[in-house]
Amino acid sequence: MEELLKNFKVKRAAPEPSLVKGVWEYGSLEERLDHAENVLVGIGHEWHGGGESVGTVMEAYEALYQMIKDKDYFIVTTNTDALIFQSSLDSRRITAPCGNRTWRQCSKACTKDIWEPGEIPDDICPHCGAPLTGNTMDAEVYIEEGYLPQWKIYTGWLASTMNRPLLVLELGEGFKTPTVIRWPFEKTVKYNRKSFMYRVNETFAQLAEGIQERAVSVKENSTEWIRSNCPGTALRKFQ
């Protein structure tokens, strides 16, 4: 018997998902973040960086990174300015279904090729001679192959969060493309009974029927809200 027990190890079993408390059962953002297994983030128009706002937006991205860096997170952004990819956030955990204007495509969509910035110095399509344009929804024909690989990873990740404690942060998203973040996030919260959502928006903070008991509306600019709720880590300043 002694020989049999020599290499015996006690394996601590993970709790069944049905026994894990939901994020909504906690009372503060800090507690909900601490007990969430997954964090889903939506980034909308309030985070669009233009002119003097670039520094503020980059500081908000840094604050968001400090908040979720130790969590299993994924981010969906409808912005096309690509600033998020210059932040500390993991690009492997980001999908930008509306495109990225720093990526280039043929304005006539003669090819599905997509080029990195500076890869085609004269910004002319090497296949047909048409000018290149940003690989975004604003293109005459949007070549979606640019975002689809990351979108596939995201949908697989989202499926794995079902019935798990999930914190949802919808930050500054309005109604320009509600089918990307706003409506799908509402559906996620509705069906995941262990989730909780913060909808933070200076103008459009309304909550849909059916999720009010597991969501809160914050009528505030979402970049400022993230910066004010960031942990006490000193933030990198951006000019």
Side-chain angles (χ1 to χ4, degrees):
M1 179 64 73
E2 183 178 348
E3 188 65 29
L4 289 173
L5 293 175
K6 186 182 295 184
N7 297 316
F8 179 78
K9 294 181 181 178
V10 176
K11 186 175 287 187
R12 191 171 293 178
E16 289 291 327
S18 58
L19 301 178
V20 177
K21 291 177 70 175
V23 177
W24 63 271
E25 297 180 74
Y26 298 93
S28 68
L29 172 61
E30 184 178 4
E31 289 178 312
R32 288 165 178 151
L33 185 62
D34 186 50
H35 289 88
E37 290 185 14
N38 309 100
V39 179
L40 172 60
V41 183
I43 299 289
H45 70 280
E46 287 182 350
W47 293 61
H48 177 75
E52 296 179 358
S53 69
V54 171
T56 300
V57 169
M58 293 305 296
E59 288 172 17
Y61 278 129
E62 187 65 21
L64 178 62
Y65 169 73
Q66 295 295 339
M67 182 181 289
I68 66 175
K69 63 181 180 179
D70 297 323
K71 290 293 181 178
D72 180 8
Y73 68 86
F74 217 103
I75 300 173
V76 184
T77 178
T78 54
N79 290 326
T80 61
D81 55 22
L83 288 179
I84 192 171
F85 296 107
Q86 301 174 31
S87 74
S88 299
L89 293 159
D90 189 346
S91 61
R92 297 169 297 181
R93 294 176 174 270
I94 301 169
T95 182
C98 294
N100 179 338
R101 71 184 183 196
T102 67
W103 295 341
R104 312 300 288 168
Q105 68 165 72
C106 176
S107 58
K108 300 301 181 183
C110 78
T111 174
K112 293 186 181 297
D113 289 350
I114 296 171
W115 295 278
E116 295 286 344
E119 191 175 353
I120 307 295
D122 60 5
D123 222 27
I124 298 296
C125 177
H127 301 288
C128 72
L132 300 185
T133 190
N135 177 229
T136 74
M137 291 183 67
D138 294 329
E140 185 177 349
V141 179
Y142 178 32
I143 299 173
E144 297 185 337
E145 278 72 9
Y147 85 85
L148 287 177
Q150 277 300 105
W151 185 262
K152 184 177 180 180
I153 294 171
Y154 161 61
T155 55
W157 177 90
L158 185 61
S160 74
T161 69
M162 183 55 65
N163 202 35
R164 297 284 182 181
L166 173 68
L167 180 64
V168 181
L169 303 175
E170 186 190 285
L171 306 173
E173 180 62 5
F175 288 96
K176 183 178 180 180
T177 51
T179 57
V180 177
I181 292 177
R182 197 172 180 100
W183 295 344
F185 277 27
E186 290 174 355
K187 185 176 180 179
T188 294
V189 174
K190 180 179 180 180
Y191 287 107
N192 185 339
R193 305 298 296 179
K194 293 181 179 174
S195 65
F196 191 88
M197 180 171 77
Y198 287 85
R199 171 165 281 164
V200 190
N201 194 300
E202 199 166 24
T203 307
F204 302 111
Q206 308 93 325
L207 295 174
E209 292 184 9
I211 65 169
Q212 289 96 333
E213 73 279 7
R214 285 182 288 107
V216 64
S217 167
V218 182
K219 194 174 176 59
E220 185 177 335
N221 182 278
S222 55
T223 61
E224 295 174 4
W225 184 81
I226 282 291
R227 293 165 74 200
S228 65
N229 282 284
C230 178
T233 308
L235 295 181
R236 174 185 170 195
K237 294 297 181 182
F238 293 83
Q239 300 300 325

